[in-house]
């Protein structure tokens, strides 16, 4: 009884925290099309200046893949007013940190400064947008940087080509079929003029959102935003292409050989709907039911009880146009990829035909409440969430209301979504195996 009361108390406390986490923000759009979102948080004397551009790997020429990720690096090279190699020195010299990342759908840059350097952060991001220096020296330098990153994270990393292997087999028409790291051959072949044209097309104010979050004063921040960004000219409208994939109606089978592994991996991948759909959120919950924690369906049966796999997991990789649902496992001992997939399919079938228990459903809801609180627990997280909900979802207030969607999902929806999307005839089965010994070839 005491444990039950403690659990109830925890749930009630979590609910109060979640409801108290409402994120307040102001937004406006400059005449040049730059959307601006401001969030005030005076709990710590820090400020984040960030810009998210609506350009990712999917916007690339199929013969020039890797451009969006390349620009993640290239736009730190310098500007007309920030010397080459000086960007990071200015940031660290003023007590700040900075970084950037690229996905299939967008590119995100940010600086974290002590709040008395807000104006500096805004000036630097406006410089990146207004005065980037894109020359052959910078291109050649970053080309080597990107090649080293690919060698480290992909080519020489165990299972490093997993995403690439899945994407190229599960997408046939959509640019999601290649990874953001792209092709080094494409980057080598690209001319300086091609890089400059890519910058001119996508890195424009009307294809971006600026988020300023932290210890700010709204009136002063608005004045500085107008001062540094208001005069930047609007670019040509960016027209997004639409790519529609044919449904997968029979199992796709593929094999990928990796010279960096000794143990094979079984991979089942399913094409799923856009991150903006309700079903994508149901699939998020399904991944938690299947493999989040030692009491999850896959881990409990396959790893803990039967001990036929060293590792097993699943996750819903949601993106703007489509998602990909991954289920994977590494067989143990004499167990094979085929036997592991059979065990996984049995657990998915249970999910498709039987409602999860009320107890497991409550645990699931608690996990997502906790994830919601954690996602907005730092001003850095809030800044990126605000940018993402505006740029990719078209609804900034989802930062406050998305948790209500998760709360409203039912056990029946979980069963029905598993039945709709996770069927054997709708997937890729990828055997991700050690490369054959060259001496035996």
């Amino acid at each position: 009884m005491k444990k039950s009361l403690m659990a109830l108390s925890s749930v009630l406390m979590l609910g109060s925290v979640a409801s108290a986490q409402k994120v307040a923000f102001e937004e406006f759009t400059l005449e040049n099309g730059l959307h601006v979102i401001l969030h005030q948080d005076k709990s710590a004397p820090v400020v984040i200046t960030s810009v998210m551009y609506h350009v990712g790997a999917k916007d690339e020429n199929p013969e020039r893949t890797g451009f969006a990720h390349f620009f993640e690096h290239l736009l730190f090279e310098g500007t007309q007013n920030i010397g080459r190699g000086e960007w990071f020195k200015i940031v660290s010299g003023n007590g700040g940190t900075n970084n950037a990342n690229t996905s299939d759908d967008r590119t995100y840059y940010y600086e974290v400064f002590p709040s008395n350097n807000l104006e500096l952060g805004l000036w630097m991001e406006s410089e990146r947008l207004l005065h980037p220096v894109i020359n052959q020296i910078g291109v050649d330098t970053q080309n080597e940087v990107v090649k080293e990153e690919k060698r480290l994270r992909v080519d020489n990393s165990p299972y490093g080509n997993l995403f690439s292997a899945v994407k190229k087999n599960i997408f046939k028409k959509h640019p999601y079929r290649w990874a953001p790291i792209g092709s080094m051959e494409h980057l080598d072949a690209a001319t300086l003029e091609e890089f400059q044209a890519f910058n001119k097309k996508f890195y424009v104010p009307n294809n971006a959102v600026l988020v300023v979050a932290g210890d700010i004063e709204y009136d002063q921040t608005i004045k500085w935003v107008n001062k540094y960004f208001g005069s930047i000219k609007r670019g040509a409208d960016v027209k997004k292409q639409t790519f529609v994939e044919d449904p997968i109606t029979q199992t796709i089978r593929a094999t990928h050989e990796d010279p960096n592994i000794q143990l094979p991996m079984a991979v089942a991948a399913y094409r799923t709907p856009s991150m903006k759909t309700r079903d994508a959120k149901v699939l998020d919950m399904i991944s938690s039911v299947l493999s989040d924690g030692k009491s999850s369906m896959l881990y409990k049966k396959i790893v803990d009880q039967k001990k036929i796999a060293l590792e097993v997991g699943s996750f819903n990789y949601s993106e703007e146009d489509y998602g990909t649902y991954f289920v994977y496992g590494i067989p143990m001992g004499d167990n094979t990829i085929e036997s592991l997939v059979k065990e996984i399919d049995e657990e998915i079938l249970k999910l498709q035909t039987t409602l999860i228990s009320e107890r497991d459903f409550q645990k699931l809801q608690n996990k997502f409440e906790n994830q919601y609180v954690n996602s907005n627990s730092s001003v850095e997280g809030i800044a990126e969430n605000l940018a993402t909900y505006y740029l990719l979802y078209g609804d900034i207030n989802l930062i406050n209301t998305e948790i209500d969607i998760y709360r409203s999902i039912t056990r029946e929806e979980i069963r029905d979504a598993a039945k709709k999307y996770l069927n054997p005839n709708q997937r890729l089965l990828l055997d991700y195996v050690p490369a054959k010994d060259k001496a035996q070839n």
Side-chain angles (χ1 to χ4, degrees):
M1 180 66 177
K2 184 177 180 181
K3 287 184 178 179
S4 299
L5 290 173
M6 288 175 64
L8 177 60
S9 174
S10 297
V11 171
L12 292 174
M13 183 172 67
L14 182 61
S16 66
V17 171
S19 62
Q21 284 270 325
K22 184 172 182 179
V23 176
F25 58 87
E26 292 190 8
E27 61 176 308
F28 58 95
T29 303
L30 299 181
E31 289 186 7
N32 58 20
L34 179 68
H35 198 76
V36 183
I37 305 171
L38 308 179
H39 166 70
Q40 186 184 74
D41 180 350
K42 291 186 167 291
S43 61
V46 297
V47 65
I48 286 80
T49 54
S50 66
V51 179
M52 185 176 285
Y53 295 92
H54 203 175
V55 56
K58 74 177 182 187
D59 300 295
E60 297 161 350
N61 176 343
E63 300 302 318
R64 290 292 183 266
T65 62
F67 264 47
H69 172 257
F70 192 85
F71 267 82
E72 174 196 321
H73 293 263
L74 189 61
L75 292 184
F76 282 108
E77 270 288 307
T79 74
Q80 291 177 20
N81 297 302
I82 300 174
R84 185 167 177 269
E86 293 296 311
W87 188 286
F88 298 102
K89 293 179 183 178
I90 293 173
V91 172
S92 60
N94 286 276
T97 60
N98 64 279
N99 213 330
N101 53 69
T102 309
S103 75
D104 288 314
D105 299 314
R106 92 296 177 275
T107 306
Y108 183 62
Y109 300 87
Y110 66 93
E111 289 79 34
V112 183
F113 276 120
S115 52
N116 62 345
N117 280 321
L118 169 59
E119 187 176 9
L120 174 63
L122 290 170
W123 172 72
M124 293 185 77
E125 282 302 332
S126 71
E127 275 291 299
R128 195 199 307 273
L129 184 56
L130 185 59
H131 298 131
V133 173
I134 300 172
N135 57 27
Q136 197 63 53
I137 295 174
V139 168
D140 291 344
T141 301
Q142 295 307 320
N143 202 342
E144 292 305 313
V145 172
V146 171
K147 285 179 180 177
E148 182 59 29
E149 180 182 347
K150 186 173 186 291
R151 283 190 287 266
L152 179 66
R153 297 187 177 182
V154 179
D155 297 338
N156 298 325
S157 177
Y159 308 101
N161 274 294
L162 174 61
F163 268 75
S164 297
V166 168
K167 286 160 71 70
K168 75 178 183 181
N169 282 290
I170 205 166
F171 292 103
K172 302 302 181 182
K173 300 177 181 179
H174 198 286
Y176 286 165
R177 66 185 181 271
W178 60 79
I181 195 72
S183 163
M184 299 305 100
E185 290 75 20
H186 291 175
L187 294 176
D188 286 341
T191 64
L192 178 61
E193 290 72 25
E194 286 178 294
F195 288 110
Q196 292 170 336
F198 193 83
N199 180 78
K200 183 179 179 180
K201 179 177 182 178
F202 291 109
Y203 296 85
V204 291
N206 45 301
N207 196 44
V209 56
L210 166 69
V211 178
V212 187
D215 185 14
I216 65 172
E217 299 298 338
Y218 283 119
D219 291 345
Q220 181 61 72
T221 304
I222 292 170
K223 289 178 182 177
W224 281 335
V225 167
N226 278 284
K227 175 182 177 180
Y228 292 109
F229 291 90
S231 63
I232 301 175
K233 291 183 180 179
R234 181 186 182 94
D237 290 342
V238 177
K239 297 178 181 178
K240 295 282 187 177
Q241 289 183 267
T242 300
F243 301 89
V244 179
E245 289 282 348
D246 296 325
I248 299 172
T249 56
Q250 60 183 11
T251 302
I252 302 167
R253 295 186 178 273
T255 300
H256 180 86
E257 294 187 6
D258 187 335
N260 303 302
I261 64 173
Q262 295 179 323
L263 298 174
M265 175 183 283
V267 183
Y270 308 77
R271 196 188 306 139
T272 54
S274 162
M275 67 201 318
K276 293 178 276 191
T277 63
R278 182 179 178 90
D279 278 355
K281 294 171 176 55
V282 180
L283 286 160
D284 288 342
M285 297 190 106
I286 286 175
S287 69
S288 184
V289 173
L290 284 176
S291 66
D292 186 8
K294 293 185 177 181
S295 63
S296 61
M297 293 175 68
L298 293 180
Y299 186 94
K300 187 175 181 180
K301 175 187 176 184
I302 295 173
V303 177
D304 190 22
Q305 294 177 353
K306 290 198 169 184
K307 295 180 172 55
I308 64 174
L310 290 172
E311 182 181 349
V312 67
S314 68
F315 59 95
N316 186 38
Y317 186 67
S318 293
E319 298 189 278
E320 188 176 18
D321 299 337
Y322 287 99
T324 305
Y325 195 91
F326 287 78
V327 186
Y328 63 93
I330 299 176
M332 180 186 291
D334 295 330
N335 293 286
T336 64
I337 286 177
E338 292 74 16
S339 63
L340 180 53
V341 169
K342 181 175 181 292
E343 295 287 349
I344 289 172
D345 283 348
E346 287 179 4
E347 295 307 291
I348 291 176
L349 182 60
K350 289 179 186 176
L351 199 59
Q352 293 173 328
T353 54
T354 308
L355 295 179
I356 64 172
S357 70
E358 286 284 6
R359 181 177 179 274
D360 287 341
F361 186 55
Q362 184 62 59
K363 282 171 56 181
L364 184 63
Q365 290 177 315
N366 293 347
K367 284 180 181 178
F368 277 80
E369 291 277 354
N370 187 50
Q371 289 176 17
Y372 164 72
V373 173
N374 288 338
S375 70
N376 291 329
S377 63
S378 70
V379 69
E380 293 97 327
I382 288 173
E384 184 167 0
N385 285 341
L386 287 168
T388 299
Y389 286 125
Y390 169 76
L391 200 73
L392 301 185
Y393 289 83
D395 182 1
I396 307 175
N397 200 46
L398 274 173
I399 197 169
N400 294 310
T401 61
E402 188 177 48
I403 185 59
D404 295 325
I405 300 173
Y406 283 109
R407 287 170 180 155
S408 69
I409 291 170
T410 65
R411 294 188 298 157
E412 288 77 12
E413 283 182 281
I414 291 172
R415 177 198 62 199
D416 294 345
K419 192 182 301 183
K420 182 176 182 180
Y421 297 108
L422 305 183
N423 295 304
N425 67 320
Q426 295 172 297
R427 70 185 179 187
L428 161 70
L429 280 183
L430 175 69
D431 293 347
Y432 196 100
V433 298
K436 296 175 183 176
D437 188 345
K438 293 181 180 180
Q440 296 177 358
N441 292 340

